[in-house]
Amino acid sequence: VKEKPMTKHHASPACLRAGATVPSALAVPAACFLVTLVATLGAFPALAAEAPATGAPPGLDLSAPGVAWAGFVAPKAPDYAVARLFNDFASPAAGLGPVTDGPAHPYANNEVAREMKIPPTFRVADLDNTAGKNLMPWVREALAKQNALVLAGKNGETREARCWETGVPAFHLNPGAMHIIQTPKEVVLFLTGRTRHIWLNVPHSANPKPSWYGESVGRYEGDTLVVDTIGFNDKTFVDSYRTPHTDKLHVVERFRLTDSGNTLEVAFTVEDPGAFYQPYSGTRNRHRVVNPNNRLPEPDCSAANDDYFNIGLEPVPTAEKSEF
Amino acid sequence: MKVDGVCGMGPRSTGATVTLAIGAWAAACCAAGAAPDISGTYWATTYSPKIQVVGGGEAPLNAAGKAAYEKNQAGLKDGSIVDKARRVCVPDGMPRVLATPYPFEIFQMPAGQVTFLYEMNHQVRVIVMDKPLPSAEALIVDPKYNGHSIGRWDGDTLVVESAGFNDVTFLDASGLPHSDEMTTVERIRKVGNELEDVITVHDPEMYAKDWQARFVYDARNDVRVEEYACNDTHRDLSSVKGVRAR
């Protein structure tokens, strides 16, 4: 199904071009002025009604002009519970959740530190809570090593901060603004220079090529977009604690609007029989922000992320040689 | 005759005063019918590391341009200049991104915007259809690799004006230079099963006169634009002539 864009404005340039073919030279500017005026007054309100076909249900139109979905909006007054989720998943009310920090090493992200006026810390995973106990031995071992590095003052940056592709569900952690394009064929998620494609109403490929974001297929169930992703490589982490996974990773995400359309809830379930004993769930909420001037940013993470001070930061992704 | 429907003005325009002149204008303006549709996925069939100037020959560098080009070429050769677009995958800049041997996708959405999404380094270009370019002052404080772009339809052609480029990119893989004063105009249209983009480069700091390059792509709605991680291998490009074998 091909989308039928119906963006119809900018009458004036076409008007000027057409001017030469109109018999009366005097009549043209007047006519053009009139049409331009009509365009200004009439076409723009009409645009909303004539928006391009998104294929989305009315209750899940995520791609209106100027609309983006921020992972974090600073609370008016210091609020630990809000600040804490600056770039972390929320655990489910019941059942297994993602890896978190623990009482031995409470994590204070930059936002928490700023709001609560305490020093920021890096993440140290709690390996003894229920989420920690859900990890298979090799995963626990990897996290124990990572914890030791962080406690020794090293490797505390997230992979994302070092410009690596994030994978799923870690894609959602970025606190920045997510832009979304919905067409009847696909949904494209843009988040601070990273991009994911969700192919609608098609089955998974027989043998998807292992990739950083896997192969995502989706469908609308009422006002919920349900996305099923497989076909991952094993090079990403499922969270900001650097929890590894295998290529058996399978993620189901459910996107829906809550809070009168002001909150985009992404609830997900992660399963990986090679890494986790049981599937676990988590949520990431994003907040509707409207700014017509806030368009898609350029993906230039690595432009300003050299290890300027030689402090042993993980290198940014680098191509050893050009492929063409 | 009513203005209603003329160039898709919509029902709000029905009340307008109508003259014969508008009728004539409407006939000329809207002969093509519905709004042009250039959305879809495209993929070049050829690649050239050196930009091909329309009319042949070399890009008309001025003295400063020649000096910059020589410096870039020497630096790329001896490694003193790093091609960051390839090495760490910062955006290519214009018009180098147009030479991409990877597929790209055009969305005529959200309303008021045409969005180009390139597979290579998931670069995006936003063509703003409903606003003028930012002021010169605003462009100076917010330069971009691929510039700021606005567009309008001229019949079946999307005319894109771009300005506000940074000065850290090359115009092609050979190191052809530009300044941050560069502006470009593209005329993009579908011709049969192909998409054509003719770009005019205006950069008096580096070039003696304006010059053009033409890029042609096949419509490939059978192809999915894939992800692209800088430190990984990517799709097979053996169908693209001019790409060196792996």
Side-chain angles (χ1 to χ4, degrees):
Chain A
V1 186
K2 201 139 194 245
E3 57 184 294
K4 286 268 184 284
M6 287 185 273
T7 326
K8 298 161 182 169
H9 40 276
H10 273 293
S12 36
C15 193
L16 291 173
R17 180 181 54 86
T21 64
V22 181
S24 162
L26 261 181
V28 175
C32 285
F33 171 74
L34 180 63
V35 172
T36 305
L37 187 71
V38 168
T40 309
L41 297 177
F44 283 92
L47 268 180
E50 290 190 13
T54 63
L60 196 64
D61 180 2
L62 307 173
S63 47
V67 169
W69 302 90
F72 181 76
V73 175
K76 288 188 180 73
D79 185 330
Y80 177 75
V82 173
R84 193 180 153 67
L85 294 177
F86 178 72
N87 54 350
D88 262 311
F89 297 125
S91 298
L96 275 172
V99 166
T100 62
D101 58 350
H105 301 284
Y107 169 55
N109 63 42
N110 288 340
E111 192 57 36
V112 166
R114 194 155 39 233
E115 288 191 18
M116 312 313 286
K117 299 190 169 41
I118 55 175
T121 60
F122 285 124
R123 289 177 173 86
V124 177
D126 185 344
L127 300 177
D128 298 318
N129 62 14
T130 50
K133 285 176 180 157
N134 188 39
L135 309 172
M136 289 186 179
W138 73 272
V139 180
R140 283 180 67 91
E141 208 172 295
L143 275 179
K145 274 187 190 160
Q146 166 64 15
N147 282 354
L149 279 174
V150 171
L151 292 170
K154 294 175 182 152
N155 213 40
E157 298 277 340
T158 61
R159 267 282 188 73
E160 173 164 34
R162 304 304 303 149
C163 308
W164 286 57
E165 300 297 336
T166 45
V168 185
F171 177 85
H172 294 293
L173 287 168
N174 190 293
M178 178 157 73
H179 293 255
I180 300 173
I181 283 181
Q182 291 166 286
T183 79
K185 190 176 154 189
E186 65 180 305
V187 176
V188 191
L189 309 179
F190 301 88
L191 181 50
T192 55
R194 295 176 180 85
T195 306
R196 273 181 71 196
H197 295 265
I198 296 157
W199 304 99
L200 294 176
N201 307 317
V202 290
H204 275 301
S205 310
N207 294 299
K209 187 172 82 177
S211 62
W212 298 73
Y213 295 107
E215 182 188 67
S216 296
V217 296
R219 63 182 188 277
Y220 293 106
E221 285 182 3
D223 287 343
T224 301
L225 172 65
V226 183
V227 180
D228 188 289
T229 308
I230 57 170
F232 292 99
N233 67 27
D234 59 2
K235 298 176 188 173
T236 65
F237 300 125
V238 289
D239 54 35
S240 297
Y241 290 84
R242 295 182 179 244
T243 305
H245 63 86
T246 73
D247 58 6
K248 295 187 187 70
L249 178 66
H250 173 211
V251 182
V252 176
E253 298 152 281
R254 300 178 68 87
F255 295 72
R256 67 179 185 124
L257 289 173
T258 62
D259 182 24
S260 311
N262 288 312
T263 300
L264 172 61
E265 178 194 86
V266 185
F268 61 86
T269 300
V270 173
E271 66 173 334
D272 183 345
F276 314 121
Y277 288 114
Q278 299 291 327
Y280 71 83
S281 301
T283 306
R284 178 78 171 143
N285 285 342
R286 307 193 85 85
H287 312 281
R288 189 174 192 269
V289 286
V290 182
N291 177 358
N293 295 317
N294 183 6
R295 312 266 178 170
L296 293 169
E298 289 189 315
D300 64 343
C301 181
S302 48
N305 276 293
D306 285 342
D307 188 359
Y308 294 112
F309 306 107
N310 290 312
I311 53 174
L313 291 175
E314 189 169 26
V316 296
T318 303
E320 293 310 323
K321 70 191 211 21
S322 174
E323 292 185 279
F324 57 92
Chain B
M1 185 178 186
K2 293 199 295 183
V3 187
D4 190 9
V6 169
C7 276
M9 286 305 144
R12 298 290 183 100
S13 53
T14 39
T17 313
V18 185
T19 68
L20 254 181
I22 291 186
W25 170 81
C29 159
C30 300
D37 181 4
I38 61 165
S39 65
T41 301
Y42 299 92
W43 194 0
T45 57
T46 61
Y47 168 74
S48 170
K50 190 164 178 183
I51 197 165
Q52 303 293 298
V53 176
V54 169
E58 302 288 321
L61 291 158
N62 63 20
K66 274 182 192 137
Y69 193 25
E70 278 163 23
K71 190 176 156 215
N72 288 350
Q73 285 184 306
L76 287 169
K77 198 171 173 190
D78 68 21
S80 61
I81 295 177
V82 174
D83 184 0
K84 282 193 151 193
R86 290 296 159 274
R87 183 98 176 134
V88 293
C89 296
V90 298
D92 282 81
M94 287 283 292
R96 189 178 179 186
V97 69
L98 303 181
T100 180
Y102 290 87
F104 63 94
E105 193 166 359
I106 300 175
F107 303 92
Q108 284 171 246
M109 58 170 39
Q113 177 175 320
V114 176
T115 308
F116 284 64
L117 169 61
Y118 293 88
E119 179 166 305
M120 188 168 61
N121 191 29
H122 33 87
Q123 292 174 72
V124 289
R125 288 186 68 203
V126 170
I127 315 299
V128 175
M129 302 294 286
D130 56 3
K131 287 190 179 61
L133 273 173
S135 67
E137 293 77 15
L139 290 176
I140 287 170
V141 298
D142 184 23
K144 288 177 183 283
Y145 286 83
N146 290 334
H148 297 251
S149 299
I150 57 163
R152 62 181 166 84
W153 292 104
D154 178 3
D156 62 351
T157 303
L158 176 63
V159 182
V160 179
E161 292 174 45
S162 303
F165 295 99
N166 68 27
D167 61 358
V168 302
T169 67
F170 308 127
L171 299 195
D172 66 11
S174 80
L176 203 62
H178 72 92
S179 76
D180 57 6
E181 300 280 302
M182 176 173 78
T183 59
T184 62
V185 177
E186 293 161 86
R187 296 186 62 87
I188 303 168
R189 62 176 180 150
K190 272 197 93 164
V191 184
N193 196 44
E194 290 180 340
L195 185 81
E196 176 193 65
D197 187 336
V198 177
I199 183 168
T200 302
V201 175
H202 172 78
D203 186 358
E205 301 269 310
M206 296 283 176
Y207 296 92
K209 58 177 183 176
D210 292 357
W211 54 280
Q212 291 185 317
R214 178 173 175 267
F215 298 88
V216 180
Y217 317 92
D218 278 359
R220 289 295 302 271
N221 288 322
D222 58 317
V223 169
R224 284 181 181 176
V225 169
E226 295 178 358
E227 66 178 35
Y228 190 98
C230 194
N231 51 339
D232 208 345
T233 52
H234 305 106
R235 85 160 64 230
D236 178 15
L237 295 177
S238 55
S239 71
V240 184
K241 221 171 80 184
V243 169
R244 63 168 176 253
R246 277 185 198 157

